[in-house]
Amino acid sequence: MANAADLIERRQRSEFQSQVKGTLYNAIKGNPDIIPSLLKLALNDALTYEKATKSGGPNGSIRFSSEISRPENTGLSPALNLLEEAKKEIDSYSKGGPISYADLINYAAQSAVKATFLAAAISKCGGNEEKGNILYNAYGSNGQWGLFDRQFGRVDAQDPDPEGRVPIWEKASVQEMKDKFSAVGFGPRQLAVLSAFLGPDQSATETLLASDPDVAPWVQKYQRSRETVSRTDYEVDLITTFTKLSTLGQQINYEAYTYPRAKIDITKLKL
């Protein structure tokens, strides 16, 4: 059972998290073309995870110049630059210290995912934003983000992660993708549902993935799901998979972003 102090800290984290989401929403809304890069940034940061050594993962190491400049991260600098600007704004109003890059990258990817969900709903309504928002609020999967939102408090790496752990997705074969996903505990299902993270053209990526008999059924399942009004299978599986991806090998500090409560000087109280 939570005591009063716990509840205060939860509220502090919740309020800060809401502010972070608002800042990222506005940043992405003004730069919608950056969405695929934000997704890939989160994926490449996370897939440095190595189970054998329990090292790497979604720890913000991709922010280092020696890592962002690697071949697999070509074209991701603008996304990182956008997050650098967002971080300045977030840190300016944070009462519990600067946001970690690890949290920033993953919450930006969450905002990007939500933006694609909303865009799909608007498209189903013939481009009418008001109707699209109503449709998404009625049938969308916004309520599925609970576990992801609780895992707020990732700690940044202090050095770049080792090279050679992330494929160059645009050049990788399906087998190479499967092998990498298998190495972190994912299978064909997760590979198919994360297709939007693997490059700027989801359709082209899915065409390639559909050439593999293990992945093809999942690609087809999610394509069918995206044609429905609710898109439930696709959206729920994507949120579930991304949530797991965002914490590979990470210990969450559940006290992050909390701050001392204001003290009352009882000698100055008027009775």
Side-chain angles (χ1 to χ4, degrees):
M1 295 181 66
N3 58 35
D6 291 333
L7 294 174
I8 290 172
E9 290 186 350
R10 288 181 193 177
R11 182 174 180 179
Q12 289 174 349
R13 284 164 54 86
S14 178
E15 289 176 348
F16 178 55
Q17 191 179 82
S18 295
Q19 290 179 295
V20 169
K21 291 181 180 182
T23 298
L24 293 171
Y25 171 82
N26 290 330
I28 293 171
K29 186 176 182 180
N31 299 271
D33 293 341
I34 207 79
I35 286 176
S37 294
L38 289 172
L39 298 177
K40 187 175 177 182
L41 188 75
L43 180 73
N44 284 8
D45 189 47
L47 286 188
T48 57
Y49 178 59
E50 185 178 76
K51 290 177 68 175
T53 60
K54 292 183 171 55
S55 62
N59 55 18
S61 66
I62 201 169
R63 74 188 188 277
F64 292 110
S65 58
S66 60
E67 188 167 333
I68 193 68
S69 62
R70 293 173 187 170
E72 67 268 23
N73 297 324
T74 297
L76 298 185
S77 291
L80 185 60
N81 292 340
L82 180 142
L83 295 189
E84 291 276 10
E85 290 303 309
K87 189 177 190 305
K88 292 176 184 177
E89 179 180 345
I90 291 167
D91 290 349
S92 72
Y93 57 66
S94 173
K95 298 178 182 178
I99 189 171
S100 69
Y101 280 90
D103 277 338
L104 182 68
I105 289 168
N106 280 285
Y107 275 81
Q110 182 202 38
S111 293
V113 168
K114 287 185 175 182
T116 63
F117 288 173
L118 181 57
I122 292 172
S123 177
K124 281 181 169 28
C125 294
N128 187 302
E129 290 192 19
E130 182 179 357
K131 290 182 179 178
N133 274 281
I134 293 172
L135 176 65
Y136 180 63
N137 289 331
Y139 293 100
S141 301
N142 202 43
Q144 299 294 325
W145 288 101
L147 178 58
F148 176 87
D149 284 342
R150 287 195 293 275
Q151 295 171 337
F152 188 44
R154 298 168 186 80
V155 178
D156 282 338
Q158 298 306 305
D159 299 289
D161 284 338
E163 294 187 59
R165 292 186 177 184
V166 181
I168 301 175
W169 301 108
E170 291 81 356
K171 297 180 179 180
S173 68
V174 180
Q175 188 58 52
E176 288 172 330
M177 295 183 192
K178 288 168 64 177
D179 289 344
K180 179 58 197 179
F181 271 62
S182 176
V184 298
F186 286 170
R189 180 176 189 167
Q190 288 75 31
L191 176 57
V193 82
L194 288 176
S195 58
F197 288 68
L198 301 175
D201 189 339
Q202 184 176 13
S203 178
T205 301
E206 289 189 333
T207 299
L208 174 62
L209 294 176
S211 66
D212 184 276
D214 294 329
V215 190
W218 296 107
V219 170
Q220 294 160 6
K221 173 185 176 70
Y222 297 132
Q223 287 175 338
R224 289 193 300 269
S225 177
R226 291 198 299 268
E227 292 303 314
T228 65
V229 172
S230 65
R231 296 164 39 112
T232 301
D233 286 343
Y234 173 67
E235 292 191 2
V236 170
D237 282 7
L238 178 54
I239 293 168
T240 301
T241 301
F242 174 58
T243 297
K244 182 178 179 181
L245 177 76
S246 73
T247 55
L248 286 174
Q250 303 307 296
Q251 294 294 320
I252 304 300
N253 175 13
Y254 293 100
E255 295 181 354
Y257 314 120
T258 59
Y259 48 91
R261 294 168 293 284
K263 294 182 179 179
I264 299 174
D265 186 349
I266 60 172
T267 64
K268 294 183 179 180
L269 292 177
K270 294 182 179 180
L271 301 178

